[in-house]
Amino acid sequence: MKKSFTFMFLLLMMFTWAQKTADNTFIKENYTKKEVYIPMRDGVKLFTSIYIPNDISKNKKYPFLMQRTCYSVAPYGENEFRNGLGPNPYLMKDEYIFVYQDVRGRYMSEGTFTNMTPQVDHKTKKDVDESTDTYDTIEWLLKNIDNNNKKVGQYGTSYPGFYTAAGILSDHPALVASSPQAPISDFWNDDFLHNGKFMLGYFRTFPVFGVQKTKPEKDGWFMDSFIKPTSDDGLKFYREMGTLKDGYEKYYKNNFFMTEIMNHPNYDEYWQKRSLLPHLKNVKHAVMTVGGWFDAEDLSGPLNIYKTIEKTSPKAKNTIVMGPFSHGAWARETGKAFHNDIYFGDSIATYYQKNLETKFFNHYLKGDTKTDAGIPEAVMFDTGSMQWREFAQYPPKNAQKVSFYLADGTLKNASSNSVSEYYSDPSNPVLSSANLKDFNGFTPRNYMSEDQRFAEGRPDVVTFTTDALTEDLTFGGEILAKLNIASTSTDADFAVKLIDVYPEDFVPKEKKDGVIYSNYHQMVRSEIMPARFRNSREKPEALVPNQKTAVTFRLQDVMHTFKKGHKIQIQISSTWFPLFAVNPQKFMDNPNFATKEDYTKAFIKIFGDSSLEVDVLK
């Protein structure tokens, strides 16, 4: 097993603080570990590690705090202890009965692994999903672990965040608190796809999710399937790989997950049944959904899970927390909180862990579940003013819809008859980053706040920029791109970036060596949309060449103050490589199998009645 591959795998697993703390003396002295196989209703047994406080008794009962994961509950063996327990060190010291479980088909558990297990109707004992496995696990724990206080909480980040969100649907009466963190809500818009567009930057991850094990495994059985890096220049790999079809046939023809993605280019039943959102109804317990504004993997999930529960479940104590974090970074304290080049403050993860996460679980699992924990409805970090903000509802009540029209290279308050045009060549795509080494990464990360000056001025990128602002302007909520376009081709993608342009005399409070912060073009938010899905995700349509056409789509939300003296910029292009697979710009039934011969150059127009509609806080 190559050391570099082991490191990349650990990056993907995104294990929380619990795997990263060096000293597990406290755990050995204060907990007893049990390993059990818990039977599910269909007879499949799931491997489960349970850490029980040594001082548990009839007079000192403890609640359960559970994580279900596809990333291993290692270390295995009742005399082998984790380096930390729970989502943060404060909860570990407060002591709970900590439960870790390998989900179906992973590591030491029985069964067959399914990506984003579909939620099913529960008519027979064979109708199982993650909600029934959560229910059956809770039932077993309540009956077989003595001196528990009959309360259960669950948490998890990334894929374990999905299992937490799916576990909400178990509706077990003992489940009183859930914290899905960086969860996927609809697989069409998180991780591997954005609006159905394949995220090529995930290409190296497929061995983890697309190789079934054949026996119980304590180690990664898929490690030999990883693609070996050949150069520090990660772009070299993607350029030499060729098309997505070429990469699939060379590396992943036997990878079941990659095959599923390749064969399902539209929002068909495969994707529809992997959305949790239609099932999140009548939630009755406390839910605190957590995300990061710079989470390159799962930004859509937290926002949509919170908003859905808010609409469908008036009895739920529903909270959302969004910080200035990359994927799962709230689980580990780094002191100086940077994302890529940008400094956001000190000890931000500690603030979240002590004042929000610990308070949430302590209140509902050890206190009164009928009362509110005292946490605001929405705790959102403003990534422009660099401060936490609290709201009684989200989007905030005082948010007003404001439209910025894209015309004449500027952002205007009214539409115009102007036309902006650019040239798009799939064989010479716009790069998604200037950091070539980052393309060797397991999943993309830094691009979410990266300096975008490398893209400005290209003939295949069109830019719209305001004058320097005369006062602060806060975008706080949803963003809707309302493009009116025309292309000489029959298909095209549209990548839209919202950018904060710093003043030329800008001096940061904390900086990184070698970074030019003067005139820095910080990306605040971005998204991509295939024009083929402009009217229907299920039934794609070709563009009519040279015909004016509306392409409307949501960028993910923001909470960002553009400071006085800064400028607001929008960049639009039709390629974004290698973050996303190249669109051949020729309409095809399945563009995933496009060849280089299908690549079609195009001239693309953006009309002056196009706009970006944003929530502005007054």
Side-chain angles (χ1 to χ4, degrees), residues 377-389:
E377 173 87 9
V379 184
M380 321 294 274
F381 193 91
D382 186 322
T383 56
S385 64
M386 313 300 185
Q387 62 181 344
W388 289 102
R389 302 184 66 169

Side-chain angles (χ1 to χ4, degrees), residues 28 76 251 256 288 319 427 479 611:
K28 292 179 178 179
Y76 296 95
Y251 296 105
F256 79 87
M288 184 175 75
T319 299
S427 295
I479 304 176
S611 66

